[in-house]
Short mmCIF file of all heavy atoms in Angstrom, two decimals:
data_model
loop_
_atom_site.label_atom_id
_atom_site.label_comp_id
_atom_site.label_asym_id
_atom_site.label_seq_id
_atom_site.Cartn_x
_atom_site.Cartn_y
_atom_site.Cartn_z
N GLY A 27 89.88 77.01 67.91
CA GLY A 27 90.27 78.34 68.37
C GLY A 27 89.11 79.18 68.85
O GLY A 27 89.20 80.41 68.92
N GLY A 28 88.00 78.53 69.21
CA GLY A 28 86.84 79.25 69.71
C GLY A 28 85.86 79.60 68.63
O GLY A 28 86.22 79.81 67.46
N VAL A 29 84.59 79.67 68.99
CA VAL A 29 83.54 80.03 68.04
C VAL A 29 83.82 81.40 67.42
O VAL A 29 83.53 81.65 66.25
CB VAL A 29 82.17 80.01 68.74
CG1 VAL A 29 81.08 80.54 67.81
CG2 VAL A 29 81.82 78.60 69.18
N TYR A 30 84.39 82.31 68.19
CA TYR A 30 84.70 83.65 67.71
C TYR A 30 86.20 83.87 67.55
O TYR A 30 86.67 85.00 67.49
CB TYR A 30 84.10 84.70 68.67
CG TYR A 30 82.59 84.60 68.73
CD1 TYR A 30 81.96 83.89 69.76
CD2 TYR A 30 81.79 85.18 67.75
CE1 TYR A 30 80.58 83.77 69.80
CE2 TYR A 30 80.41 85.07 67.79
CZ TYR A 30 79.81 84.37 68.81
OH TYR A 30 78.44 84.25 68.85
N HIS A 31 86.95 82.77 67.53
CA HIS A 31 88.40 82.77 67.28
C HIS A 31 89.20 83.52 68.35
O HIS A 31 90.31 83.96 68.11
CB HIS A 31 88.71 83.36 65.90
CG HIS A 31 87.94 82.69 64.79
ND1 HIS A 31 88.14 81.38 64.44
CD2 HIS A 31 86.91 83.14 64.01
CE1 HIS A 31 87.30 81.05 63.46
NE2 HIS A 31 86.53 82.10 63.19
N VAL A 32 88.63 83.61 69.56
CA VAL A 32 89.32 84.31 70.64
C VAL A 32 90.50 83.49 71.17
O VAL A 32 91.48 84.04 71.65
CB VAL A 32 88.33 84.65 71.77
CG1 VAL A 32 89.04 85.34 72.93
CG2 VAL A 32 87.22 85.56 71.23
N THR A 33 90.43 82.17 71.05
CA THR A 33 91.52 81.32 71.55
C THR A 33 92.36 80.75 70.40
O THR A 33 93.11 79.79 70.60
CB THR A 33 90.96 80.17 72.40
OG1 THR A 33 90.02 79.41 71.61
CG2 THR A 33 90.27 80.69 73.64
N ALA A 34 92.26 81.36 69.24
CA ALA A 34 93.01 80.87 68.08
C ALA A 34 94.51 80.85 68.35
O ALA A 34 95.08 81.80 68.90
CB ALA A 34 92.71 81.75 66.86
N GLY A 35 95.15 79.76 67.97
CA GLY A 35 96.60 79.65 68.07
C GLY A 35 97.13 79.22 69.42
O GLY A 35 98.32 78.90 69.55
N LEU A 36 96.29 79.21 70.45
CA LEU A 36 96.78 78.89 71.80
C LEU A 36 97.19 77.42 71.90
O LEU A 36 98.24 77.11 72.49
CB LEU A 36 95.70 79.19 72.84
CG LEU A 36 95.33 80.67 73.06
CD1 LEU A 36 94.20 80.78 74.08
CD2 LEU A 36 96.54 81.46 73.53
N GLN A 37 96.40 76.52 71.36
CA GLN A 37 96.74 75.11 71.48
C GLN A 37 98.01 74.78 70.72
O GLN A 37 98.86 74.02 71.20
CB GLN A 37 95.58 74.24 70.98
CG GLN A 37 95.77 72.76 71.25
CD GLN A 37 94.58 71.93 70.81
OE1 GLN A 37 94.46 71.59 69.64
NE2 GLN A 37 93.71 71.61 71.76
N ALA A 38 98.16 75.36 69.54
CA ALA A 38 99.37 75.11 68.75
C ALA A 38 100.62 75.59 69.49
O ALA A 38 101.69 74.98 69.41
CB ALA A 38 99.27 75.79 67.39
N ARG A 39 100.48 76.68 70.23
CA ARG A 39 101.64 77.26 70.91
C ARG A 39 101.92 76.61 72.25
O ARG A 39 103.08 76.45 72.64
CB ARG A 39 101.42 78.77 71.08
CG ARG A 39 102.61 79.52 71.65
CD ARG A 39 102.56 80.98 71.28
NE ARG A 39 102.95 81.21 69.89
CZ ARG A 39 102.75 82.36 69.22
NH1 ARG A 39 102.15 83.35 69.82
NH2 ARG A 39 103.13 82.49 67.98
N PHE A 40 100.88 76.20 72.99
CA PHE A 40 101.09 75.73 74.36
C PHE A 40 100.76 74.25 74.57
O PHE A 40 100.97 73.74 75.67
CB PHE A 40 100.28 76.60 75.33
CG PHE A 40 100.72 78.04 75.32
CD1 PHE A 40 99.96 79.00 74.66
CD2 PHE A 40 101.89 78.44 75.95
CE1 PHE A 40 100.35 80.33 74.64
CE2 PHE A 40 102.30 79.76 75.92
CZ PHE A 40 101.53 80.71 75.26
N GLY A 41 100.24 73.58 73.57
CA GLY A 41 100.08 72.15 73.67
C GLY A 41 98.70 71.69 74.12
O GLY A 41 97.91 72.45 74.69
N LEU A 42 98.44 70.40 73.87
CA LEU A 42 97.13 69.81 74.14
C LEU A 42 96.81 69.69 75.62
O LEU A 42 95.64 69.59 75.99
CB LEU A 42 97.06 68.42 73.49
CG LEU A 42 97.00 68.39 71.97
CD1 LEU A 42 97.27 66.97 71.48
CD2 LEU A 42 95.65 68.87 71.47
N ASP A 43 97.82 69.65 76.48
CA ASP A 43 97.55 69.49 77.91
C ASP A 43 97.27 70.81 78.61
O ASP A 43 96.81 70.82 79.75
CB ASP A 43 98.72 68.78 78.60
CG ASP A 43 98.53 67.28 78.64
OD1 ASP A 43 97.39 66.85 78.88
OD2 ASP A 43 99.50 66.55 78.40
N ARG A 44 97.54 71.93 77.93
CA ARG A 44 97.28 73.22 78.57
C ARG A 44 96.14 73.98 77.90
O ARG A 44 95.53 74.86 78.53
CB ARG A 44 98.54 74.09 78.56
CG ARG A 44 99.69 73.50 79.39
CD ARG A 44 100.80 74.50 79.60
NE ARG A 44 100.33 75.67 80.31
CZ ARG A 44 100.92 76.88 80.23
NH1 ARG A 44 101.98 77.04 79.47
NH2 ARG A 44 100.44 77.89 80.92
N VAL A 45 95.85 73.64 76.67
CA VAL A 45 94.72 74.24 75.95
C VAL A 45 93.96 73.10 75.30
O VAL A 45 94.45 72.46 74.36
CB VAL A 45 95.20 75.25 74.88
CG1 VAL A 45 94.00 75.88 74.18
CG2 VAL A 45 96.08 76.34 75.51
N PHE A 46 92.77 72.81 75.80
CA PHE A 46 92.11 71.59 75.33
C PHE A 46 90.60 71.76 75.25
O PHE A 46 89.99 72.58 75.96
CB PHE A 46 92.46 70.40 76.23
CG PHE A 46 92.22 70.62 77.71
CD1 PHE A 46 91.03 70.24 78.29
CD2 PHE A 46 93.20 71.19 78.51
CE1 PHE A 46 90.81 70.43 79.66
CE2 PHE A 46 92.99 71.38 79.87
CZ PHE A 46 91.80 71.00 80.45
N ASP A 47 90.03 70.96 74.37
CA ASP A 47 88.58 70.92 74.21
C ASP A 47 87.97 69.98 75.23
O ASP A 47 88.56 68.96 75.60
CB ASP A 47 88.22 70.43 72.80
CG ASP A 47 88.65 71.41 71.72
OD1 ASP A 47 88.43 72.62 71.90
OD2 ASP A 47 89.20 70.96 70.69
N THR A 48 86.79 70.32 75.67
CA THR A 48 86.05 69.48 76.62
C THR A 48 84.83 68.90 75.95
O THR A 48 84.47 69.27 74.82
CB THR A 48 85.59 70.30 77.84
OG1 THR A 48 84.62 71.27 77.39
CG2 THR A 48 86.75 71.02 78.51
N LEU A 49 84.18 68.00 76.63
CA LEU A 49 82.89 67.52 76.12
C LEU A 49 81.85 68.63 76.25
O LEU A 49 82.08 69.65 76.91
CB LEU A 49 82.47 66.25 76.86
CG LEU A 49 82.38 66.27 78.39
CD1 LEU A 49 81.10 66.88 78.87
CD2 LEU A 49 82.52 64.86 78.93
N LEU A 50 80.72 68.42 75.65
CA LEU A 50 79.69 69.45 75.58
C LEU A 50 78.85 69.44 76.85
O LEU A 50 77.72 68.96 76.87
CB LEU A 50 78.80 69.20 74.35
CG LEU A 50 77.88 70.35 73.93
CD1 LEU A 50 78.67 71.44 73.23
CD2 LEU A 50 76.78 69.82 73.00
N ASP A 51 79.42 69.98 77.92
CA ASP A 51 78.70 69.98 79.20
C ASP A 51 79.32 71.02 80.12
O ASP A 51 80.46 70.86 80.57
CB ASP A 51 78.74 68.60 79.85
CG ASP A 51 78.03 68.57 81.19
OD1 ASP A 51 76.88 69.04 81.25
OD2 ASP A 51 78.63 68.11 82.17
N GLU A 52 78.56 72.07 80.41
CA GLU A 52 79.09 73.15 81.23
C GLU A 52 79.34 72.71 82.67
O GLU A 52 80.27 73.21 83.32
CB GLU A 52 78.12 74.35 81.21
CG GLU A 52 78.12 75.12 79.91
CD GLU A 52 77.46 74.38 78.76
OE1 GLU A 52 76.57 73.53 79.03
OE2 GLU A 52 77.81 74.65 77.59
N THR A 53 78.54 71.78 83.18
CA THR A 53 78.78 71.26 84.52
C THR A 53 80.16 70.61 84.60
O THR A 53 80.91 70.83 85.56
CB THR A 53 77.70 70.23 84.90
OG1 THR A 53 76.44 70.91 84.99
CG2 THR A 53 78.01 69.56 86.22
N THR A 54 80.51 69.84 83.59
CA THR A 54 81.82 69.21 83.56
C THR A 54 82.94 70.24 83.41
O THR A 54 83.98 70.14 84.07
CB THR A 54 81.89 68.19 82.41
OG1 THR A 54 80.97 67.14 82.67
CG2 THR A 54 83.28 67.62 82.27
N ILE A 55 82.73 71.24 82.57
CA ILE A 55 83.75 72.27 82.38
C ILE A 55 84.08 72.94 83.71
O ILE A 55 85.25 73.11 84.08
CB ILE A 55 83.28 73.32 81.35
CG1 ILE A 55 83.19 72.70 79.95
CG2 ILE A 55 84.21 74.53 81.32
CD1 ILE A 55 82.51 73.59 78.92
N LEU A 56 83.04 73.32 84.45
CA LEU A 56 83.27 74.00 85.72
C LEU A 56 83.77 73.04 86.79
O LEU A 56 84.51 73.43 87.69
CB LEU A 56 82.00 74.71 86.17
CG LEU A 56 81.57 75.85 85.24
CD1 LEU A 56 80.22 76.42 85.66
CD2 LEU A 56 82.62 76.96 85.21
N GLY A 57 83.38 71.77 86.72
CA GLY A 57 83.94 70.77 87.62
C GLY A 57 85.41 70.58 87.37
O GLY A 57 86.22 70.48 88.31
N MET A 58 85.82 70.51 86.10
CA MET A 58 87.23 70.41 85.75
C MET A 58 88.01 71.60 86.30
O MET A 58 89.12 71.46 86.80
CB MET A 58 87.39 70.33 84.24
CG MET A 58 86.89 69.06 83.62
SD MET A 58 87.97 67.67 84.00
CE MET A 58 87.12 66.35 83.12
N ALA A 59 87.41 72.78 86.20
CA ALA A 59 88.08 73.98 86.69
C ALA A 59 88.27 73.93 88.21
O ALA A 59 89.34 74.28 88.72
CB ALA A 59 87.27 75.22 86.30
N GLN A 60 87.25 73.50 88.92
CA GLN A 60 87.37 73.43 90.38
C GLN A 60 88.47 72.45 90.81
O GLN A 60 89.29 72.77 91.68
CB GLN A 60 86.04 73.00 90.99
CG GLN A 60 84.95 74.03 90.87
CD GLN A 60 83.63 73.49 91.33
OE1 GLN A 60 83.37 73.37 92.54
NE2 GLN A 60 82.76 73.16 90.40
N GLY A 61 88.46 71.27 90.20
CA GLY A 61 89.48 70.29 90.56
C GLY A 61 90.88 70.77 90.25
O GLY A 61 91.80 70.61 91.06
N ALA A 62 91.05 71.38 89.08
CA ALA A 62 92.38 71.88 88.71
C ALA A 62 92.82 73.00 89.64
O ALA A 62 93.97 73.04 90.09
CB ALA A 62 92.35 72.36 87.26
N GLY A 63 91.90 73.92 89.94
CA GLY A 63 92.25 75.03 90.83
C GLY A 63 92.59 74.56 92.22
O GLY A 63 93.52 75.08 92.87
N LEU A 64 91.87 73.57 92.70
CA LEU A 64 92.11 73.03 94.05
C LEU A 64 93.52 72.46 94.18
O LEU A 64 94.14 72.55 95.24
CB LEU A 64 91.08 71.96 94.34
CG LEU A 64 91.03 71.36 95.75
CD1 LEU A 64 90.68 72.42 96.76
CD2 LEU A 64 90.01 70.23 95.80
N LEU A 65 94.04 71.91 93.09
CA LEU A 65 95.36 71.27 93.13
C LEU A 65 96.50 72.23 92.81
O LEU A 65 97.67 71.83 92.84
CB LEU A 65 95.40 70.10 92.15
CG LEU A 65 94.64 68.84 92.60
CD1 LEU A 65 94.72 67.78 91.53
CD2 LEU A 65 95.19 68.29 93.91
N GLY A 66 96.20 73.47 92.48
CA GLY A 66 97.27 74.44 92.25
C GLY A 66 97.40 74.95 90.83
O GLY A 66 98.22 75.82 90.55
N PHE A 67 96.59 74.42 89.92
CA PHE A 67 96.54 75.01 88.59
C PHE A 67 95.78 76.33 88.63
O PHE A 67 95.10 76.64 89.61
CB PHE A 67 95.85 74.05 87.60
CG PHE A 67 96.69 72.89 87.17
CD1 PHE A 67 96.43 71.61 87.66
CD2 PHE A 67 97.73 73.06 86.27
CE1 PHE A 67 97.20 70.53 87.25
CE2 PHE A 67 98.50 71.97 85.85
CZ PHE A 67 98.24 70.71 86.35
N LEU A 68 95.88 77.09 87.55
CA LEU A 68 95.11 78.33 87.44
C LEU A 68 94.23 78.20 86.19
O LEU A 68 94.63 78.57 85.09
CB LEU A 68 96.03 79.55 87.34
CG LEU A 68 95.42 80.84 87.91
CD1 LEU A 68 96.48 81.89 88.11
CD2 LEU A 68 94.30 81.36 87.04
N PRO A 69 93.05 77.62 86.36
CA PRO A 69 92.19 77.36 85.20
C PRO A 69 91.49 78.60 84.67
O PRO A 69 91.04 79.46 85.44
CB PRO A 69 91.18 76.35 85.74
CG PRO A 69 91.17 76.55 87.21
CD PRO A 69 92.52 77.07 87.61
#
C-alpha cells in the first residue's frame, strides 16, 4: 500500500492487474507507463 500508505487498499479493491508492484527500476516503471498509455490505458 505504498511506503507512506497512500495506495493502501487499492489492490484489494481493484485487483492485481490494475494495481500492481513493479521491479525496482524507475526506467521500467516509466516505460510501462508509456506503453500502457500508448495503447489506451490511463497509467
Side-chain angles (χ1 to χ4, degrees):
V29 173
Y30 298 97
H31 307 293
V32 178
T33 57
L36 293 177
Q37 188 177 82
R39 186 157 284 167
F40 298 103
L42 290 166
D43 268 320
R44 296 192 61 204
V45 181
F46 53 93
D47 294 316
T48 66
L49 54 81
L50 194 76
D51 179 50
E52 287 72 27
T53 294
T54 295
I55 292 170
L56 294 174
M58 291 288 181
Q60 291 173 77
L64 187 63
L65 286 178
F67 284 106
L68 209 165

